[in-house]
Amino acid sequence: MSDEASLIPLKRTRESLEKISSNLAPFLALLDRYYNQNDNSNGERSGDKNDNREKIDKQMVTEAEAAVALAIGTLRYMAARLKGSAKGQRKNDPLRLELDKMRKTLVALKKLDKSANSNDKKRKGDA
């Protein structure tokens, strides 16, 4: 019974990693499409601006980059905790400050997206 209880934190960590992985996959796919859409078969950038490639919204790309940065910071925090380090636990720790900055960036992006959507709805209502 005590062996099972000692494995609970490890199981929770594994579940958290699986959740991060599944939530991060769409962002990584978007970034992959965005950064690799202009590559030709030789891996070189094509200069043709009239190709029929997918147009990806810059705000979506920025949000995906911020989400990936937050996930990486969270994984760094988890790794430090698993190693027994106190890194990121103090309020002024660089890792903590970086995570807080990424969270604020995501919140700001969400607010910007909401305001852009409400402005679009207002314009459509005026037309």
Side-chain angles (χ1 to χ4, degrees):
M1 196 71 159
S2 64
D3 290 335
E4 197 63 35
S6 64
L7 290 177
I8 290 174
L10 184 60
K11 288 179 181 178
R12 287 184 183 153
T13 300
R14 183 177 177 180
E15 290 169 1
S16 295
L17 290 172
E18 289 171 353
K19 187 174 182 178
I20 289 171
S21 177
S22 66
N23 288 336
L24 204 54
F27 293 116
L28 292 173
L30 174 82
L31 291 174
D32 183 49
R33 284 194 328 264
Y34 179 73
Y35 285 110
N36 295 319
Q37 71 180 342
N38 292 329
D39 291 348
N40 61 22
S41 60
N42 296 331
E44 298 172 356
R45 295 272 188 208
S46 70
D48 184 12
K49 295 186 182 207
N50 294 325
D51 60 9
N52 293 327
R53 299 188 191 228
E54 175 183 16
K55 302 289 186 229
I56 299 175
D57 183 27
K58 294 278 188 184
Q59 183 162 344
M60 289 175 56
V61 171
T62 305
E63 188 175 329
E65 288 172 340
V68 170
L70 179 61
I72 290 171
T74 301
L75 291 172
R76 287 177 49 211
Y77 176 79
M78 289 172 66
R81 293 295 308 267
L82 289 171
K83 289 179 185 176
S85 171
K87 189 173 185 176
Q89 290 182 330
R90 291 183 308 268
K91 204 168 196 172
N92 61 347
D93 188 274
L95 180 58
R96 170 69 63 179
L97 295 173
E98 183 181 333
L99 289 171
D100 290 343
K101 184 178 179 182
M102 286 298 108
R103 286 186 195 99
K104 288 177 185 176
T105 300
L106 280 170
V107 169
L109 284 169
K110 295 282 185 186
K111 286 181 182 177
L112 185 63
D113 189 40
K114 283 182 183 178
S115 68
N117 285 339
S118 66
N119 287 340
D120 286 345
K121 288 179 184 177
K122 287 179 185 176
R123 284 187 205 135
K124 287 180 183 176
D126 292 342

